[in-house]
Amino acid sequence: MTAVYVATFGMLSVAGLLTVVRLVRGPRTLDRVLALDVLLVLIVAGAAASIAVTGRGLVVAVLLSVALLSFIGSISAIRLVERWEGHR
């Protein structure tokens, strides 16, 4: 099972690096908002995998809260960008 956890964290790390590249390079604002949302999802997935490794389920409520706030924040940012770019 240790190899599975190492592979999981390795894939999450590579996905995180690629997402940070997309976040920095852009080119549009919506690309950056989407990259930030994907990065938050990867962080939640990494924390969930960490919970699976350690067996401690005390932070599940925190993970759900972060995931919900990430979703609401992404929807709000997308709506704001659409309105802002619609006025141009």
Side-chain angles (χ1 to χ4, degrees):
M1 255 344 232
T2 304
V4 173
Y5 295 133
V6 169
T8 300
F9 286 122
M11 287 187 284
L12 286 173
S13 298
V14 170
L17 287 174
L18 292 173
T19 303
V20 168
V21 168
R22 176 52 55 195
L23 184 66
V24 171
R25 290 186 65 195
R28 295 179 304 199
T29 307
L30 287 178
D31 293 330
R32 290 186 172 104
V33 169
L34 182 63
L36 186 61
D37 188 41
V38 169
L39 188 62
L40 288 171
V41 167
L42 289 172
I43 289 170
V44 169
S50 176
I51 288 172
V53 169
T54 61
R56 296 183 181 172
L58 298 175
V59 294
V60 173
V62 174
L63 284 179
L64 290 174
S65 304
V66 169
L68 181 64
L69 287 174
S70 168
F71 175 73
I72 291 172
S74 296
I75 296 297
S76 301
I78 289 170
R79 293 180 95 187
L80 179 67
V81 168
E82 284 179 350
R83 286 184 186 172
W84 186 59
E85 288 181 354
H87 288 277
R88 287 184 177 186

